[in-house]
Amino acid sequence: MTTQTSSTLSPQQLRDWLSDGGELALLDVRDGGIFSAGHIFFAVSMPLNHMEALADALLPRRSVRTVLVDDGDGLAQRAAQRLGAWGYTGIRVLEGGMPAWRAAGGQVFSGVYVPSKAFGEFVEHACDTPRITVATLDEWRKSGKDMILLDSRPYEEFHWLNVPGGIDCPGAELVHRAFDLAPSEKTTIVVTCAGRTRGIIGAQALINAGIPNPVVAVENGAQGWYLNGGALDEGRTEVVPLPTPAALQKAVAGAQRVARRFGVQEIDRDELAAWQARTDRSVYLLDVRTPEEYEAGHLPGSRSAPGGQLVQSTDHYVGVRNACLVLVDDNNSVRARVTASWLLQMGWKDVYVLRDALHPSGVALLRGPEPVHVLGDTHLANVDWIGVVELQGLLARQEAVVVDLDTSLAYRKSHIPGAWFAVRSRLASSLRKLPPHRVLVLTSEDGAFAALASADAREASAAPVRVLRGGTAAWLAAGLDSAAGFEHMADENNDVWYNPFVHEDRVAAMKEYLSWEVDLLAQSRNEPGVAFSCAPALSVAQQRDAAVRELMASARARLATQGVSRRTLAEMGEELQAFVDRHEALFSEASFPAPGPQHKGGINYIVHTDPESQITLYLNAIAPGLNVPPHNHMTWAVIAAQDGEELNRIYSRVDDGTDAERAQLALDREFTVKPGAGIQFLPHDIHSIHVQGERGARHFHLYGKPLDQLGERLGFNLQSGEVMRFNAKHLPVPQRAVDELG
């Protein structure tokens, strides 16, 4: 990894950092509208204006490599000073800012959420996601085609404007809720959004999950519908209901299928705690459920990041490239697995699903909305507040000027009559444009942002600075007049990105936006660090091998430090059962078929033999009715069940052991091995096996050595007392998984 001792970084050094695989926070500190006009591909927008409220969430680790970008105008140095005062280290400023980046041949991308948007276009091409035009959708609706239209945007967006006839089903909720929506498997599921990305990703998610219905995305979504002459509905409230138990079961199976295909990994709470304790790794704990579910109860330290939006606008939630992302869901993990699969395909390497994240035995959940940690707010104690009535008096006497620091969008919609629009980062110049005044009064929507900006205003203003308590909302709540439009502009309205729906020329803006989305794929192909892929991460056999090797390594390490004892074996039993529960899908009957008549009631599949220790893992597929006489193992054994039940009778030898041909056994106890209830044996422990009823069993056996090397194993005839060589009479010929046999 490149090191840098100065406070600046050259464009070439930045290109190196973008490609070295290490954690990197590339932060563009310019205003949002300027950022959207042109920025570096992987840059995250964190305007100096709002840094206090954004930094803690976007940059959870204070020592992460950080590069700040501006227009070479000193804004990044101001941002560096603020971050440094809040404890951030390792901060660099891009030397010369965006002009230097352009001069060095670096590409510049317009728009917002560029990596996510480019990825959506990649998915459409790589997966050939089925799609229809808005004209076809219109024809289908008029003809009464058997179809259902799902809008994959968050409720607020859907409620505002939507294609007529749609039902809201945001992002990750599609796989979670769609399996019982359609009247039949022949019903076509049509997925739409505002433009392109979320419709493409949503449709492909359903396809990847194996939903049996035909699925298509609407090309260009609501914008395409509007450009085709269609009217958009407002205020609709139709939302897809929660899944029925039967549909949820299908959704879980579909999400597991996706997780296997793309190599989604899971971790437990202990692993999460260990990672969060590290000082060299940025860890984001992201709750992918709906905002309502999050507010009803969430893990401490987690952020609300609904799955669809996390994919659509990843850089809104994650400020550090190559960080570790841990996703939280309910204990079915449908949304987390699907979301993780997309993040992995986007090129994020360390993405995990938190297993049993909200299990009642875990930590106490917090209620309410996501808390915002505002940094550098100590000066708020010195804010000079002013109430609505007092402000009225000052304005009536023409003694005050009001400066509105809210977004230009909010100012255009409504503001205090006579108020001037200004941008916080430009106050030093914008205040010089104001008419003469005795008092400067700052406002924003609720006054909170204006209060944060008051220290900046005091530095730039010759007049006393006061802040309207309750902000513009308090003024309006008092029943006072408001104004609209851009009437008094101390700054340009380039502080925020204007989406096409809010442009004055909506048609032109939509056409430009849709062309921009389509063109992103070609522009991003050669960008350093881009690693989009829709190819399966690992085959089932590869996934299985990796999981088994991890289990073997853990067993080897545990035995090396603890030795063989009942306590050690019990701990290994818990680990083996967790392994079985976690990786059930990797051991399907297709790869490990049930025994046929030729197998004498069972098959010992060799899953893996550890070359270092000879520890061997078997999957025993046992037919119903199998009875195995009492026997020992001559090595330790740990057994866990995947499905089915197996009655074990445990015996002790009560003779003196001097007769090698005869033995007398006494029954000590009976134990039924079943999912969640395993058993362990020391080398000379004796047990028998009985699979009763009409159902077979699939159990995992972990042994200290391969069974075919244990020729001295003994079997016992309870009736005659005969002692026999067990392997010669009862050991099936071991087999391997079908997909490993080629």
Side-chain angles (χ1 to χ4, degrees):
M1 184 179 296
T2 304
T3 59
Q4 181 78 12
T5 57
S6 68
S7 61
T8 62
L9 192 79
S10 72
Q12 183 55 54
Q13 289 172 311
L14 176 56
R15 291 181 69 87
D16 293 341
W17 281 17
L18 284 167
S19 303
D20 68 11
E23 289 193 9
L24 175 64
L26 178 60
L27 307 176
D28 195 313
V29 299
R30 301 172 298 162
D31 296 313
I34 300 173
F35 169 88
S36 68
H39 60 269
I40 301 169
F41 185 84
F42 285 113
V44 172
S45 179
M46 191 170 78
L48 178 68
N49 289 338
H50 301 281
M51 189 171 285
E52 294 96 336
L54 297 175
D56 190 70
L58 287 176
L59 307 176
R61 186 166 67 92
R62 297 297 193 263
S63 59
V64 68
R65 285 191 307 178
T66 303
V67 178
L68 306 181
V69 182
D70 62 6
D71 277 323
D73 54 3
L75 198 66
Q77 290 289 357
R78 291 166 59 188
Q81 290 172 2
R82 288 191 184 177
L83 289 171
W86 301 335
Y88 287 93
T89 59
I91 301 170
R92 304 288 184 269
V93 171
L94 179 62
E95 187 176 310
M98 286 302 299
W101 178 260
R102 290 186 180 94
Q107 285 202 93
V108 177
F109 291 78
S110 62
V112 294
Y113 312 134
V114 167
S116 296
K117 294 293 184 179
F119 175 68
E121 297 303 313
F122 172 83
V123 170
E124 185 186 61
H125 285 75
C127 300
D128 195 20
T129 305
R131 53 201 175 274
I132 59 171
T133 65
V134 291
T136 299
L137 174 61
D138 193 32
E139 292 172 6
W140 284 6
R141 292 177 67 248
K142 291 176 178 177
S143 67
K145 180 180 175 65
D146 182 12
M147 55 164 279
I148 184 171
L149 179 63
L150 301 180
D151 195 312
S152 63
R153 298 173 296 161
Y155 177 77
E156 291 75 15
E157 284 191 54
F158 171 82
H159 181 73
W160 179 37
L161 288 170
N162 56 81
V163 176
I167 305 172
D168 191 41
C169 189
E173 299 299 322
L174 282 161
V175 173
H176 188 221
R177 305 191 189 200
F179 275 88
D180 57 359
L181 284 178
S184 76
E185 293 184 357
K186 296 181 180 180
T187 302
T188 299
I189 298 176
V190 182
V191 185
T192 188
C193 65
R196 298 177 53 81
T197 306
R198 287 171 288 186
I200 296 168
I201 297 296
Q204 194 61 48
L206 289 170
I207 294 169
N208 290 350
I211 198 166
N213 302 73
V215 180
V216 297
V218 179
E219 192 172 66
N220 299 333
Q223 295 181 57
W225 181 266
Y226 183 84
L227 291 174
N228 196 53
L232 296 172
D233 280 352
E234 301 180 26
R236 294 266 305 280
T237 59
E238 294 87 348
V239 177
V240 170
L242 290 170
T244 63
L248 180 59
Q249 187 175 8
K250 295 177 182 177
V252 169
Q256 289 173 334
R257 175 187 180 195
V258 170
R260 291 195 301 272
R261 179 177 177 183
F262 297 106
V264 176
Q265 300 183 63
E266 299 184 2
I267 62 170
D268 58 28
R269 289 189 182 124
D270 289 341
E271 291 171 294
L272 172 62
W275 291 356
Q276 290 177 321
R278 293 175 59 176
T279 59
D280 62 342
R281 202 77 173 93
S282 299
V283 180
Y284 294 80
L285 188 60
L286 303 169
D287 194 317
V288 299
R289 301 174 298 156
T290 66
E292 294 78 13
E293 289 175 280
Y294 178 90
E295 292 188 14
H298 58 267
L299 290 179
S302 64
R303 295 189 63 198
S304 178
Q309 290 304 103
L310 181 56
V311 176
Q312 148 82 3
S313 51
T314 312
D315 51 336
H316 177 75
Y317 301 95
V318 181
V320 179
R321 179 165 165 76
N322 297 318
C324 176
L325 313 182
V326 180
L327 308 187
V328 177
D329 196 356
D330 63 27
N331 295 330
N332 294 303
S333 295
V334 171
R335 293 162 292 191
R337 288 171 176 147
V338 173
T339 303
S341 76
W342 287 125
L343 293 170
L344 289 165
Q345 292 172 76
M346 287 178 68
W348 292 90
K349 303 299 184 184
D350 293 326
V351 183
Y352 304 90
V353 172
L354 184 60
R355 189 182 314 114
D356 295 330
L358 305 180
H359 195 278
S361 64
V363 299
L365 302 181
L366 303 179
R367 295 182 177 272
E370 178 186 333
V372 177
H373 298 115
V374 179
L375 305 177
D377 59 353
T378 55
H379 71 280
L380 294 182
N382 301 319
V383 171
D384 186 5
W385 297 97
I386 185 173
V388 170
V389 174
E390 188 179 359
L391 176 58
Q392 280 184 285
L394 289 177
L395 292 174
R397 296 189 299 273
Q398 298 183 345
E399 294 178 351
V401 168
V402 177
V403 171
D404 194 323
L405 295 175
D406 218 320
T407 68
S408 56
L409 278 169
Y411 178 86
R412 184 181 73 174
K413 182 179 180 181
S414 179
H415 58 263
I416 296 172
W420 285 72
F421 169 76
V423 178
R424 177 188 178 188
S425 60
R426 311 172 208 171
L427 280 175
S429 61
S430 56
L431 293 186
R432 292 195 293 268
K433 303 174 184 178
L434 303 181
H437 54 277
R438 189 173 66 82
V439 179
L440 178 66
V441 179
L442 306 181
T443 189
S444 57
E445 181 182 8
D446 60 3
F449 179 65
L452 279 175
S454 61
D456 300 325
R458 286 196 298 269
E459 289 181 8
S461 174
V465 176
R466 305 187 71 180
V467 178
L468 179 59
R469 189 182 300 278
T472 307
W475 179 275
L476 298 175
L480 300 175
D481 291 340
S482 65
F486 297 129
E487 68 172 348
H488 298 294
M489 304 295 289
D491 289 308
E492 293 183 59
N493 63 325
N494 59 359
D495 58 313
V496 292
W497 176 70
Y498 280 55
N499 83 53
F501 290 100
V502 301
H503 270 271
E504 293 182 353
D505 189 346
R506 194 181 268 185
V507 170
M510 287 180 178
K511 289 180 178 178
E512 182 181 353
Y513 178 87
L514 294 170
S515 296
W516 163 80
E517 279 196 299
V518 172
D519 292 343
L520 274 176
L521 180 59
Q523 189 185 359
S524 64
R525 287 192 187 278
N526 298 318
E527 190 66 15
V530 174
F532 300 154
S533 175
C534 289
L538 297 171
S539 70
V540 171
Q542 289 172 321
Q543 295 175 53
R544 184 166 58 238
D545 184 68
V548 170
R549 288 180 185 277
E550 183 180 346
L551 175 72
M552 292 298 196
S554 177
R556 189 171 63 243
R558 190 187 300 274
L559 290 166
T561 57
Q562 299 177 197
V564 177
S565 67
R566 293 206 185 275
R567 179 179 177 180
T568 301
L569 297 183
E571 293 174 355
M572 293 173 65
E574 292 178 359
E575 187 171 6
L576 180 60
Q577 187 64 63
F579 168 88
V580 173
D581 295 342
R582 189 184 315 166
H583 301 296
E584 180 179 358
L586 300 180
F587 297 90
S588 67
E589 287 199 37
S591 296
F592 299 86
Q598 72 274 24
H599 296 118
K600 300 180 181 180
I603 306 176
N604 281 7
Y605 288 106
I606 303 175
V607 178
H608 191 81
T609 298
D610 183 60
E612 293 188 35
S613 62
Q614 293 297 290
I615 298 173
T616 302
L617 179 66
Y618 296 89
L619 193 162
N620 287 1
I622 311 170
L626 178 69
N627 291 286
V628 179
H631 59 277
N632 64 13
H633 291 277
M634 303 302 292
T635 187
W636 56 265
V638 177
I639 301 168
Q642 178 168 305
D643 53 62
E645 296 185 359
E646 173 189 283
L647 175 65
N648 279 242
R649 292 191 174 105
I650 295 92
Y651 300 88
S652 57
R653 189 167 178 175
V654 294
D655 63 293
D656 59 12
T658 57
D659 190 343
E661 304 295 329
R662 291 284 186 273
Q664 186 177 353
L665 304 182
L667 178 65
D668 291 336
R669 61 189 177 97
E670 293 185 346
F671 182 85
T672 298
V673 177
K674 57 186 178 181
I679 197 169
Q680 307 87 42
F681 297 107
L682 290 171
H684 296 290
D685 289 341
I686 301 170
H687 75 123
S688 63
I689 300 170
H690 312 273
V691 182
Q692 302 171 332
E694 299 180 355
R695 183 181 177 187
R698 289 157 54 84
H699 292 179
F700 286 80
H701 292 232
L702 189 65
Y703 293 120
K705 289 184 179 179
L707 291 178
D708 58 5
Q709 296 183 18
L710 303 175
E712 299 302 311
R713 275 208 303 170
L714 302 179
F716 304 89
N717 187 310
L718 286 174
Q719 283 72 40
S720 67
E722 179 188 1
V723 178
M724 67 199 83
R725 299 296 181 189
F726 181 81
N727 278 12
K729 194 169 184 178
H730 293 283
L731 183 66
V733 177
Q735 299 192 28
R736 296 191 178 273
V738 170
D739 57 4
E740 292 178 339
L741 293 172

